[in-house]
Amino acid sequence: MAATTTNTQEMPVIEVNGLQTRFGSQVVHRNVTFRVNPGSIVAIIGESGTGKTVLLKEMIGLLQPAAGSISLFGTSTREAPEEDLAAIRNRYGVLFQNGALFSALNVGENVAIPLKEQSNVPNELIAPLVNLRLSLTGLSPTIRHKMPSDLSGGMRKRVALARALALEPELLFLDEPTSGLDPINARSFDQLVRTLCDTLGLTIVMVTHDLDTITGIADHLLVLGQGVVLADGSLEEVKKSDDPWIRAYFSTRNFS
Amino acid sequence: MESKKGATKSIALAGAWRLENLKDIQEAAKQHPWPVRVDTPLIIDGRQLEQIDTSGALLLFQLLGGSSAKNREISLVNFQENHQRIITLVKEHLNDLNIAPTVTPFNLIQKIGRSTVLFLQQLARLISFIGQSNVESWRLLRHPQTIRWKELVVQIQRACLEAIPIIMLVTLLIGVVVAYLSATQVKQFGANIFVVDGIGIAMCRELSPMIVAIVVAGRTGSAYTAQIGTMKLNEELDAMITLGLSPMQVLVLPRLLALVITLPLLVFIGDLVGIFGGLIIARTYLEITTVTFISRLQEAVSLQTFLVGIAKAPVFAAFIAIIGCRMGLNVENNARSVGMHTTSTVVQSIVSVILLDAVFAVLCVQLGI
C-alpha cells in the first residue's frame, strides 16, 4: 500500500475544517475537523443519527454545510467555480447504499454512462472498458445485458462499484458497502475494496457499521459523535479511547 | 504518450497512459506498427512511463492483439512497482474483455407469438382478478362488519370531494361549448328553444358520464396504480400478507367500493354544472330566460334519460378501480415499472370506458330505453 503513494507529496485528499451542519434547530455537526491522506482506507463510524451519511453527502456536494470548509484534492468545494467542481467530480466515485443503479438501463449501460458522458473515450473502446470494470469487480461481463432488477443485492453493489470506478477515480466514497450482504459476500466485497485500494492506489472513504470491515480492511478510523470527531486514528489507537460509546462499540465483540 | 518499436520485439512506453488520453494514444498508435504476433516474446520497457491506469493498460493490450495477448510471453522491465501492478492486474482479466453482449436478432414471428401469449396471459389474469374481487366483495356483503370504514371514507374523500373542482370546471366548459355550437345552428331555423333539449339530453345521457369517467380514470385510477405499485416496491404488500391481511381486502375493495359509490355522485354534479353551462349560453345568445329554460328542461329530459346516464357510472367506476388496482399489484421490482403501469392504467381505463359506453348505447337502443 505504501508504494502507491510514491509520488504524492502527502497533500491530503480530503480536508474538512470546522464543519457545522444544522437541520432547523437540530445540530448534527458542531465542529468536525479531519483530513484523509492518499492511499488509505478510512472508515467513518458512529452511533446512528450522528450524521455519518450527512457528512458523506456534504463531501460529495449533495448537501451544503452551514459553516466550515471541505477541500477535495486541495480545492475548496464551497468556493470553487462550477468548472473546477466538474473536474473534481470526475476524480471521485460514489457507491450509494443500495447501488442506485439506473433501473431503466441494463448493467452494461449503467457502467458505460460515465464513460459516454464524461470522457472522450473512443466508442470502440467503451465495451472492453465496461467489461474490464465488471471483471475487476468480480463479475462476469456476460451479465451486461441484465437489468438491475434481475440482480441480487451483492451483484448490484458490485455493478455500482464498477460504475463508480468507470472514470478511474482516485477517491472512492462508499456508503455502507456491506449492508444487506451475507457475511461471505460481505467479506469478499471487503477484499475487493482492499485489492482495489492496493493495486490502483485508491483512497477510500466509507461509512460503515460492519465491525468485520473495520477490523479487516480499514487503515484509519474516524468516530463521529456529539457533533464532533470523537476519535481519529488507527484501530489500535481508537480502541484505547475511553469514550463510553467507543468502548461499548468494541466490546460487542471479543477480539482474540 | 509516444510508443516506439525496437528492432527486436520490444517496445517502450512513455507519457501518461490515462483514460483522458486514450483517444490521443489511439491516434498516435496508428502511426506505428505493433508487434501483434502472439508467438513472439515481447519486452516492454516502462522507464519513461509517467502514469498508467487500468484503461491505459487495457488499450495497451488491445493494441497488442486483445485477449490473445493473455498467453503471450511478456516481460515488463524498468517499470515502477505500481505501474507494473496495474498492468499485471489488467492482464489477469484479459479473457473477459471482448465478450460481446448476447444480442438476440429481431424475429417478427417470434415477437408476434410472444406478445400474443403475453396478451392471453394478461387476459387470463384479469379474469381471475375480477373473479377474486367478486368473491371478496360477496364475502364483504355477507359480513358487512368487516368493511374497513375508515379506509373507505378516506378513499371517498380523495376520489370524490377532492375531484369536485376539476369535474365542475371540465363539465362546465363542455356544457358551454356544446350549447354554443348548437346555438349557432338552431338560430338559423329559429328553433332556439331546442338547444335546451340538446344540452339536457346530451349532458345527462352521454357527455357527463363519459367525461367524468375519463377525468376520474386519469386522476384516481392512475393514483391507485402508483400508490399500490410503490407499496409493492417497498415490500409493504409482503408485510401485509405476513400479518395475515389480504391486500385484496385492505387495498382493493375499499378503493373499488369508494369509486363505485363516488362516480355516480360526480356524474350528477357533472350533469348539473354542464346544464348550467348551457343555461349561460341560452341566456346570453338565445334570449331564453332561466324560467323558460328550466320548464323546457323538465319536459325534454325524462327521468329515464337521467337514470341511464347515472346507471353507467358504477360500471365505469368498477372497471377503472379494478384496472388501477390490478396494474398496481402487477408492478415489478423497479421504479420504471411503476411509471409504465400507471400509463397503462390510464390508457386501459379510458379505452374501456369508451367501449363500455358504446355497449350501453347499443343495449339501450335494442331494449328501447
Side-chain angles (χ1 to χ4, degrees):
Chain A
M1 181 206 86
T4 58
T5 61
T6 38
N7 45 13
T8 39
Q9 51 276 46
E10 283 304 292
M11 187 188 72
V13 178
I14 304 175
E15 203 167 2
V16 173
N17 250 319
L19 187 82
Q20 282 183 29
T21 311
R22 272 180 241 112
F23 292 121
S25 61
Q26 184 200 357
V27 180
V28 182
H29 303 132
R30 277 190 291 137
N31 180 3
V32 173
T33 301
F34 65 91
R35 47 196 283 172
V36 173
N37 290 326
S40 57
I41 297 183
V42 177
I44 302 175
I45 63 174
E47 215 171 333
S48 293
T50 49
K52 302 182 295 293
T53 301
V54 172
L55 178 63
L56 193 79
K57 287 193 170 166
E58 285 171 347
M59 288 192 278
I60 59 184
L62 292 177
L63 285 178
Q64 287 299 325
S69 74
I70 297 174
S71 298
L72 297 182
F73 308 107
T75 310
S76 165
T77 55
R78 297 189 69 194
E79 287 148 24
E82 183 51 36
E83 306 91 76
D84 293 4
L85 287 181
I88 286 179
R89 245 177 252 136
N90 286 348
R91 294 175 67 184
Y92 64 73
V94 185
L95 172 65
F96 291 94
Q97 194 169 354
N98 292 315
L101 295 175
F102 301 119
S103 57
L105 304 178
N106 68 28
V107 166
E109 289 164 335
N110 260 292
V111 181
I113 275 249
L115 291 169
K116 283 185 181 153
E117 299 294 327
Q118 302 292 346
S119 80
N120 60 355
V121 173
N123 274 337
E124 70 270 19
L125 279 179
I126 286 185
L129 280 174
V130 167
N131 285 351
L132 176 65
R133 303 292 186 267
L134 290 172
S135 184
L136 284 177
T137 51
L139 294 166
S140 159
T142 48
I143 64 157
R144 277 179 58 184
H145 64 278
K146 287 200 178 175
M147 298 306 284
S149 52
D150 301 333
L151 301 179
S152 69
M155 282 167 103
R156 221 173 292 160
K157 288 219 162 154
R158 284 170 190 262
V159 174
L161 184 62
R163 185 178 69 182
L165 288 173
L167 291 175
E168 302 277 357
E170 298 150 60
L171 171 63
L172 207 53
F173 292 100
L174 313 176
D175 191 3
E176 306 250 2
T178 53
S179 75
L181 301 186
D182 65 78
I184 299 170
N185 250 315
R187 295 296 75 75
S188 83
F189 198 87
D190 283 349
Q191 279 320 308
L192 175 64
V193 170
R194 184 77 252 181
T195 314
L196 289 174
C197 173
D198 292 348
T199 44
L200 306 181
L202 293 176
T203 307
I204 291 171
V205 174
M206 61 173 145
V207 167
T208 186
H209 283 296
D210 192 332
L211 260 177
D212 290 309
T213 307
I214 293 162
T215 53
I217 64 165
D219 299 316
H220 201 92
L221 293 184
L222 210 62
V223 187
L224 284 189
Q226 292 135 40
V228 295
V229 177
L230 290 179
D232 179 356
S234 68
L235 179 65
E236 269 59 45
E237 288 162 17
V238 170
K239 263 157 72 181
K240 285 185 199 124
S241 160
D242 47 12
D243 179 86
W245 184 81
I246 298 178
R247 305 196 75 159
Y249 186 82
F250 285 105
S251 65
T252 54
R253 177 98 43 109
N254 288 324
F255 292 102
S256 46
Chain B
M1 63 198 82
E2 281 303 303
S3 325
K4 294 167 224 141
K5 180 177 173 279
T8 52
K9 300 300 175 202
S10 73
I11 54 173
L13 306 178
W17 285 63
R18 290 170 50 85
L19 181 73
E20 53 265 41
N21 301 330
L22 282 194
K23 201 172 177 179
D24 301 335
I25 300 173
Q26 209 188 24
E27 289 296 312
K30 286 182 187 145
Q31 316 289 323
H32 303 274
W34 284 80
V36 290
R37 286 194 47 173
V38 283
D39 48 351
T40 52
L42 181 72
I43 299 166
I44 304 177
D45 187 332
R47 191 193 305 275
Q48 286 169 283
L49 184 64
E50 285 157 24
Q51 285 174 316
I52 191 163
D53 58 16
T54 56
S55 311
L58 173 101
L59 179 61
L60 174 66
F61 284 111
Q62 291 285 83
L63 292 170
L64 291 173
S67 47
S68 53
K70 169 131 181 145
N71 299 320
R72 190 172 186 176
E73 209 176 295
I74 297 176
S75 22
L76 305 173
V77 292
N78 298 325
F79 272 91
Q80 283 181 27
E81 197 194 336
N82 52 339
H83 294 164
Q84 186 160 359
R85 228 177 353 224
I86 286 174
I87 294 175
T88 317
L89 179 73
V90 172
K91 191 165 183 252
E92 281 163 20
H93 290 273
L94 274 186
N95 273 347
D96 285 339
L97 291 193
N98 291 318
I99 295 172
T102 44
V103 182
T104 42
F106 182 78
N107 184 334
L108 185 65
I109 295 176
Q110 203 182 40
K111 278 246 151 119
I112 294 173
R114 220 179 266 277
S115 39
T116 310
V117 171
L118 209 69
F119 175 75
L120 291 177
Q121 280 175 344
Q122 287 263 339
L123 203 66
R125 262 187 259 150
L126 178 63
I127 291 169
S128 90
F129 187 83
I130 293 174
Q132 213 182 335
S133 48
N134 268 326
V135 171
E136 298 265 1
S137 301
W138 274 119
R139 184 156 44 193
L140 207 64
L141 287 180
R142 275 193 322 223
H143 308 280
Q145 71 275 18
T146 57
I147 294 180
R148 292 169 186 273
W149 292 107
K150 199 175 156 201
E151 179 71 6
L152 182 66
V153 172
V154 169
Q155 291 301 334
I156 290 180
Q157 179 184 345
R158 287 210 191 120
C160 182
L161 283 180
E162 290 167 16
I164 288 176
I166 184 74
I167 297 283
M168 285 173 71
L169 178 69
V170 172
T171 48
L172 178 75
L173 289 176
I174 294 283
V176 166
V177 169
V178 171
Y180 186 70
L181 289 179
S182 41
T184 54
Q185 299 297 319
V186 294
K187 239 181 177 174
Q188 294 174 18
F189 306 103
N192 290 10
I193 194 69
F194 289 109
V195 93
V196 183
D197 299 43
I199 191 74
I201 294 173
M203 233 32 231
C204 292
R205 192 165 170 146
E206 283 298 320
L207 289 177
S208 174
M210 195 143 94
I211 298 295
V212 170
I214 288 175
V215 171
V216 167
R219 198 182 164 278
T220 312
S222 59
Y224 285 179
T225 308
Q227 209 177 13
I228 296 179
T230 316
M231 289 178 81
K232 188 170 175 190
L233 271 190
N234 203 15
E235 295 183 318
E236 288 174 53
L237 297 191
D238 296 344
M240 234 173 237
I241 296 168
T242 327
L243 294 173
L245 300 166
S246 122
M248 196 60 138
Q249 265 189 26
V250 180
L251 297 175
V252 178
L253 285 185
R255 285 175 170 74
L256 176 63
L257 211 56
L259 213 57
V260 169
I261 296 171
T262 293
L263 203 61
L265 302 177
L266 288 176
V267 168
F268 179 65
I269 293 174
D271 288 349
L272 291 185
V273 178
I275 290 170
F276 176 72
L279 174 65
I280 297 172
I281 296 299
R283 276 175 59 102
T284 43
Y285 285 90
L286 300 170
E287 290 100 30
I288 299 173
T289 63
T290 312
V291 177
T292 327
F293 188 95
I294 290 174
S295 63
R296 178 67 201 165
L297 191 68
Q298 277 173 340
E299 290 166 38
V301 182
S302 63
L303 182 65
Q304 203 180 40
T305 309
F306 169 76
L307 285 181
V308 167
I310 293 289
K312 290 179 192 177
V315 184
F316 291 167
F319 269 77
I320 294 169
I322 284 180
I323 291 171
C325 293
R326 193 183 76 91
M327 293 314 278
L329 292 173
N330 272 0
V331 163
E332 286 148 36
N333 199 12
N334 62 65
R336 188 173 60 137
S337 177
V338 177
M340 275 165 38
H341 279 75
T342 309
T343 311
S344 175
T345 294
V346 176
V347 174
Q348 284 185 36
S349 321
I350 290 177
V351 169
S352 50
V353 163
I354 292 172
L355 277 179
L356 284 171
D357 198 59
V359 171
F360 268 109
V362 173
L363 271 182
C364 288
V365 170
Q366 293 296 324
L367 295 172
I369 300 171

